[in-house]
Amino acid sequence: NSDMAIFDCPAILSVVDAMILAPQMRGVLLVVAAGETKVDQVSMALEQLRHVEAPVIGVVLNKTPEAPSPLPFPDEPVLLPAAPEALSA
């Protein structure tokens, strides 16, 4: 029994898996690779998600260059709450 499940799908612009699952989700995060994903690719992916009425709640920027952390414990993950209205069904 769990409150949340995370589905990791292949790239939206490559295969249809994410487009089939996304409308069934309560929230969708678009993962973007820093320095690799082009702005027009992000725009196309967001447009496709809008087209299937997927509830996009945010974007994750990964593969960022390492930088000194201002946090006292840089190896600890920082979880930020989503806006409650984004997760209401």
Side-chain angles (χ1 to χ4, degrees):
N1 212 1
S2 65
D3 293 331
M4 182 185 309
I6 297 174
F7 293 86
D8 183 12
C9 295
I12 288 176
L13 301 179
S14 300
V15 294
V16 300
D17 302 36
M19 302 312 296
I20 293 168
L21 286 174
Q24 310 305 314
M25 301 296 114
R26 288 178 57 196
V28 174
L29 290 171
L30 179 63
V31 179
V32 177
E36 294 178 26
T37 308
K38 308 281 188 267
V39 173
D40 62 324
Q41 292 172 314
V42 175
S43 295
M44 287 185 345
L46 287 171
E47 181 56 37
Q48 286 185 10
L49 288 166
R50 272 193 286 277
H51 181 73
V52 296
E53 298 180 8
V56 178
I57 60 172
V59 176
V60 174
L61 181 63
N62 71 356
K63 298 185 181 180
T64 58
E66 224 175 284
S69 174
L71 301 174
F73 305 102
D75 293 332
E76 294 294 318
V78 177
L79 300 176
L80 302 174
E85 62 275 5
L87 296 177
S88 62

